[in-house]
Amino acid sequence: MNTSFGFFPYEAMNYKAAQTWLNRKAAQGWGLKHIYLGCIARLQRMERPSHFVDLDIRSGFDGGTDVDYLQLCSDAGWELVQQLRGMLLFRSAPGKSPAPIQTDGELEWERFWKKYRPRIWSTLITIIAIGLVVFMLSLSTRQNLTVMLAVNSGLLYALYLILMILYTVLKWGHSKWYMSRCRRSNRVEDPGPVAIFVDSLYHLRIPVLCLILVGIITDNALGTTVDLDWYSPNETYTATTEACQEWPVLMAVDLNLPDSGYSRHLEGHRTVLMDFLEYRELIAQKESDVPPYILTTERYDCLTETLAKLAIAQRQKETRNGAFLWGELEWESASLTDFDECYTCREGSYLLFRQGKVVALVGCSGVNLATSQNLEVIRERILNGQQ
């Protein structure tokens, strides 16, 4: 075959690694023809090809590379194959064996240092900016991190953010180390395999992002365990009493409240960290001028007990700061032997508890859930209910 393809992930800062890769291909009789999609190199069989990679720092006022410089390279026997990410990729003209374009190592180092020293500081500023954004989000009083991580789309979003932060830190750390190494020798060194790995990660960001987007789009199909609704006066009801009772959630009938709900919603998600259920029900009272009962259940069946402890601590913080549908919840510790941890608020109308790996937040406005009878019902439904 006269054509071959290879992975070409190199960034301009690691142009010496690109030079090494092209030299290795040239020794095997391959000459560079073109780079597709920024990282796929097409090579062709040639007789005694040679390559040279130079930094594109001679840009004119129109943004293009200095024409005089390119003409000098052409006269010396170098053909410009492509301009890519601040690099100029040259291949020797047929039948010629030109001398290297750059022969003064100290001058080359000065150019390199002048171009890339500011970029190290800009990368550090980016890391600090990302850290500040994450810190500000953690201080937000309306962020429901627990519920967000209980669905696959939230987990995938968090994973992508973590990967981007790790990549940025890795790139900055390696760039600083590499520049220090070059500075000690006063010349541009071959970056080595770590630099190639970092550059490869940069080009994998788009496929990874696409996979995450596909995961988010297909979340409803793959991660949803239940999705039932009952909104009066709709004609189609799926959140019937019988259907919802199959799931471990607290309902009006469990508390002997009138089964006159005119709004029910049951939603469940399964992730690698937990199974999550959320149930809401509005129950009309006999007197039309009396507000309806508002019944809520959040249930987190966590992978480990440690994760459950983290979940209850985080949910307590979130609901105390207002990240809850019915307002802020001021929790007080309750000594109830039924649970490993338990907190109550609003005169017992809301309970937040943990038993082993299961965390639950249950509430019903106007009803004291902390009575022995109601606690027995809650324990039976939430902890012993079958899915």
Side-chain angles (χ1 to χ4, degrees), residues 277-340:
L277 285 173
E278 183 178 29
Y279 178 74
R280 298 190 300 271
E281 183 176 359
L282 299 182
I283 307 104
Q285 299 200 49
K286 295 180 179 180
E287 296 80 4
S288 59
D289 59 340
V290 179
Y293 294 106
I294 301 176
L295 185 60
T296 301
T297 299
E298 293 179 10
R299 185 181 189 273
Y300 308 85
D301 190 352
C302 301
L303 183 65
T304 65
E305 188 169 334
T306 300
L307 182 60
K309 292 178 180 179
L310 293 174
I312 190 172
Q314 180 65 22
R315 199 67 188 110
Q316 181 183 5
K317 175 184 175 182
E318 292 165 346
T319 52
R320 188 188 300 275
N321 291 335
F324 185 68
L325 188 61
W326 317 124
E328 298 180 5
L329 301 178
E330 293 294 335
W331 299 106
E332 296 180 357
S333 180
S335 301
L336 301 175
T337 58
D338 304 75
F339 310 109
D340 294 334

Side-chain angles (χ1 to χ4, degrees), residues 2 4 65 189 220 284 292 318 333 338:
N2 293 325
S4 176
T65 302
E189 299 280 355
N220 288 335
E318 292 165 346
S333 180
D338 304 75

Side-chain angles (χ1 to χ4, degrees), residues 335-349:
S335 301
L336 301 175
T337 58
D338 304 75
F339 310 109
D340 294 334
E341 293 182 66
C342 186
Y343 305 90
T344 66
C345 72
R346 297 188 185 178
E347 299 180 349
S349 294

